[in-house]
Amino acid sequence: LAVGERVVATGDLLQSAVPFMGDGYFDEWVATIDEVKKLDFAVAFPGHGAAITNRETIEAFQGYIRDLTAQAAALRKQGLTADETAERVDLTAYKAHFPVIQGLGADVRAVRRIYAWMDERATR
């Protein structure tokens, strides 16, 4: 890279693939991405996956986190376990950005973490 190029290295804050999410703090994660989006950069080097060269990928990544969290909360209120929720969430709106998404469902480890995170927030 040449001096003066507009590059940001984000580590696992951003990824160009569906994130693992097994140790996330989802409200803080989304808020921190909002702060990164304020920076003047042309390329983001994520913790995993290819370099991100468009803001649409960042919006999709952030939307995925928001939607998975919201859907998990709603399904939990209906009495579903984390494993049941992992089978039922619908994140297909993001499949153009994340081709691994082929139908309903999400990584069960992510949903289990979201449930644990909701429990942690309830005890604060």
Side-chain angles (χ1 to χ4, degrees):
L1 296 172
V3 173
E5 291 197 35
R6 297 176 8 254
V7 174
V8 64
T10 65
D12 285 349
L13 178 66
L14 292 176
Q15 298 174 27
S16 58
V18 170
F20 162 62
M21 301 174 72
D23 55 4
Y25 292 88
F26 306 99
D27 52 349
E28 295 172 16
W29 196 350
V30 169
T32 304
I33 293 171
D34 280 336
E35 294 303 311
V36 169
K37 291 185 324 189
K38 294 176 184 176
L39 300 173
D40 179 28
F41 64 92
V43 178
F45 286 108
H48 299 276
I52 299 171
T53 58
N54 64 67
R55 300 281 174 144
E56 294 81 22
T57 299
I58 296 170
E59 292 294 333
F61 183 81
Q62 190 177 37
Y64 178 93
I65 295 168
R66 279 187 181 129
D67 284 354
L68 178 53
T69 304
Q71 288 184 44
L75 291 169
R76 184 180 183 177
K77 280 185 180 178
Q78 295 175 22
L80 275 69
T81 66
D83 290 31
E84 291 167 333
T85 293
E87 293 175 359
R88 295 185 189 181
V89 292
D90 184 356
L91 300 160
T92 56
Y94 301 98
K95 111 175 147 175
H97 291 280
F98 308 114
V100 70
I101 299 171
Q102 294 296 310
L104 297 181
D107 187 326
V108 69
R109 297 169 300 176
V111 177
R112 287 176 183 158
R113 173 60 194 145
I114 291 169
Y115 272 46
W117 170 75
M118 288 187 283
D119 290 342
E120 291 165 10
R121 290 180 63 203
T123 61
R124 284 190 202 170

